[in-house]
Amino acid sequence: MASTTSSTAALATAASSHTYSTTVSKAPGRASRPEEAEANPHHVVKGGSVSGFKNPYPSYPNVNLGTMFRNVIWPIITGDLKQPDTSPPTVPVVTPEWLPGRTASGKLRATWLGHACYYVEFASGLRVLFDPVFEDRCSPFTFMGPKRFTPRPCDIRDIPLIDAVVISHSHYDHLSHASVLEIQRSHPDVQFFVGLGLAKWFRRSGLRNVTELDWWEDAELTVEVTTAEGEAKRKQSISARVSCLPCQHTSARSPFDRDTTLWCSWAVRSGDRSVWFGGDTGYRAVPRLPAGVDDYGPGYESLPRCPQFAQIGALRGPFDLGLIPIGAYYPRVAFSGMHANPFDSVEIFRDTRCARAMGIHWGTWALTMEEVLEPPRVLREALRRRGIPETGVFDVCDIGESREF
């Protein structure tokens, strides 16, 4: 049976007023789902119920504290691994410009707000915010943890309309308690979409209108807008399909809840435009290699790849725009299973059948050891290798900049 939530708000000015409501229905059935996914191989079942989640393919290695100590912590202690230089100048930051109201430009318009956060204005009038984190630190603490080396381009209150917020997973650089609370305060009708197991955290935090989905499940979102200008009233109905799709990652907000909530990529289709949001994902597990060895070169090109991106492209693609992670990947032996490097990103772009793409998951916090401006440079090299133009297909932009598709 479909589940439905709705809410209504009213805003007014001296010249005009509008009301709007959002309604979400879980789409019935399991259309466009790979046969192997019917058994939910990503579920960890104990006592007859789902207790957690796992990456079900050989493309994901066994990553544990020992792996991180050997390959990251100890090399930092010994000086063999250097922290990246985050001193400015790094990535330019500009003040975002938004479309007025629900103006439809006829195109898809996407604005990068840093790291994995994108604000997408659909031609239908729908407004969607992906993985919003507006705090200075992506950490459970305000006094320690990774700190921004580029400033946020705006505050949440500056964003004029938010109909839906899509969350990829529970890590602090993708889910901020303070940010989602502020979004609900500023936009009371906003609808949150989260992976399986995460709705409980949202509701415990006082957040309403939460839709929880498993991989390959869909929800139908409807936004009803009534605008009054004097005596005249205009009604607008905006619809979208929001799809929870696989990726290869992990989840946790403490040492005690690892992999108890699901990590996801997402697709949003509204009108005749579509976006695939990669969130945070790896693609293939790369072993320890000598410095300078190309892990896509002879002997390593055939390492197992996560098959789910090709499934997404075949069953849910093509997409007008992909928002695809390109950063937080070095050293590869430690991070390749959960974070794509730009060579992986180009393969994911091709697998998912995105017409265009923008790079995310870089330029905001130094989470790993590559130089902070390396991802876009390596991305150009990866595109050249695949015979794809270096600009105009899979791009990066300034933080706060908008692009149209």
Side-chain angles (χ1 to χ4, degrees):
M1 179 180 294
S3 62
T4 303
T5 62
S6 65
S7 58
T8 304
L11 304 173
T13 67
S16 65
S17 66
H18 73 268
T19 63
Y20 75 97
S21 65
T22 58
T23 303
V24 176
S25 300
K26 242 186 179 180
R30 298 194 174 199
S32 302
R33 174 182 168 96
E35 184 177 347
E36 67 189 64
E38 291 296 330
N40 290 320
H42 60 296
H43 288 186
V44 175
V45 179
K46 291 183 180 179
S49 60
V50 178
S51 62
F53 304 93
K54 63 183 178 180
N55 295 292
Y57 298 102
S59 52
Y60 184 78
N62 179 25
V63 179
N64 53 40
L65 186 59
T67 304
M68 300 305 292
F69 183 83
R70 288 191 305 273
N71 296 300
V72 181
I73 299 170
W74 182 248
I76 290 174
I77 292 171
T78 60
D80 293 332
L81 197 57
K82 305 294 185 184
Q83 298 279 356
D85 179 10
T86 59
S87 57
T90 54
V91 184
V93 180
V94 300
T95 302
E97 296 181 2
W98 323 106
L99 293 174
R102 294 191 184 273
T103 300
S105 67
K107 295 183 178 181
L108 191 69
R109 190 170 184 271
T111 304
W112 186 34
L113 301 180
H115 198 54
C117 183
Y118 249 92
Y119 179 71
V120 177
E121 297 164 291
F122 284 81
S124 65
L126 185 73
R127 304 295 184 250
V128 181
L129 187 61
F130 294 90
D131 276 7
V133 179
F134 284 77
E135 279 58 62
D136 286 338
R137 295 188 187 272
C138 57
S139 165
F141 310 105
T142 59
F143 57 89
M144 63 180 292
K147 187 175 182 180
R148 285 180 182 268
F149 61 84
T150 49
R152 60 181 177 270
C154 66
D155 293 322
I156 290 169
R157 63 177 177 271
D158 299 325
I159 303 175
L161 291 166
I162 304 174
D163 298 312
V165 173
V166 175
I167 302 294
S168 64
H169 66 295
S170 66
H171 285 160
Y172 284 86
D173 57 322
H174 296 260
L175 174 59
S176 159
H177 182 255
S179 289
V180 292
L181 285 175
E182 177 60 27
I183 288 167
Q184 183 172 264
R185 282 193 293 268
S186 301
H187 304 273
D189 277 286
V190 69
Q191 182 73 39
F192 295 97
F193 291 91
V194 304
L196 206 61
L198 198 48
K200 183 187 297 184
W201 180 90
F202 271 74
R203 295 190 176 109
R204 195 167 55 235
S205 300
L207 293 150
R208 305 181 299 277
N209 303 336
V210 184
T211 299
E212 178 180 281
L213 298 174
D214 199 356
W215 287 352
W216 302 107
E217 287 187 332
D218 307 290
E220 301 292 341
L221 170 66
T222 303
V223 180
E224 301 284 355
V225 184
T226 302
T227 305
E229 296 285 347
E231 297 297 323
K233 287 188 177 181
R234 184 173 68 90
K235 292 188 176 181
Q236 180 183 11
S237 181
I238 303 166
S239 61
R241 171 163 282 214
V242 181
S243 302
C244 180
L245 297 169
C247 67
Q248 181 171 289
H249 200 57
T250 63
S251 67
R253 290 186 74 79
S254 77
F256 311 107
D257 66 345
R258 181 176 171 83
D259 297 346
T260 58
T261 64
L262 186 59
W263 46 95
C264 319
S265 69
W266 294 85
V268 180
R269 293 182 180 272
S270 185
D272 61 353
R273 293 291 187 271
S274 58
V275 172
W276 180 71
F277 175 64
D280 196 354
T281 187
Y283 186 61
R284 55 205 287 271
V286 176
R288 180 188 292 277
L289 299 175
V293 172
D294 178 5
D295 62 62
Y296 272 96
Y300 301 104
E301 194 276 339
S302 61
L303 288 173
R305 305 180 181 206
C306 181
Q308 294 170 303
F309 301 103
Q311 292 170 348
I312 290 168
L315 297 174
R316 301 302 179 93
F319 302 99
D320 295 294
L321 174 63
L323 303 173
I324 300 177
I326 64 170
Y329 52 78
Y330 185 79
R332 291 281 276 159
V333 64
F335 296 109
S336 61
M338 66 184 78
H339 288 163
N341 80 349
F343 288 97
D344 298 328
S345 307
V346 170
E347 298 306 300
I348 291 170
F349 167 71
R350 297 172 74 246
D351 285 354
T352 51
R353 300 174 62 200
C354 295
R356 300 274 302 279
M358 297 299 294
I360 63 171
H361 207 257
W362 74 285
T364 306
W365 293 285
L367 302 175
T368 52
M369 302 301 145
E370 75 272 9
E371 290 302 318
V372 297
L373 292 178
E374 182 181 286
R377 184 174 72 247
V378 177
L379 176 62
R380 291 191 293 271
E381 181 184 345
L383 291 166
R384 280 197 305 271
R385 185 177 294 186
R386 272 297 185 181
I388 301 171
E390 292 180 38
T391 59
V393 179
F394 190 160
D395 291 322
V396 298
C397 65
D398 295 344
I399 296 174
E401 183 182 351
S402 301
R403 297 284 181 93
E404 290 190 341
F405 304 89

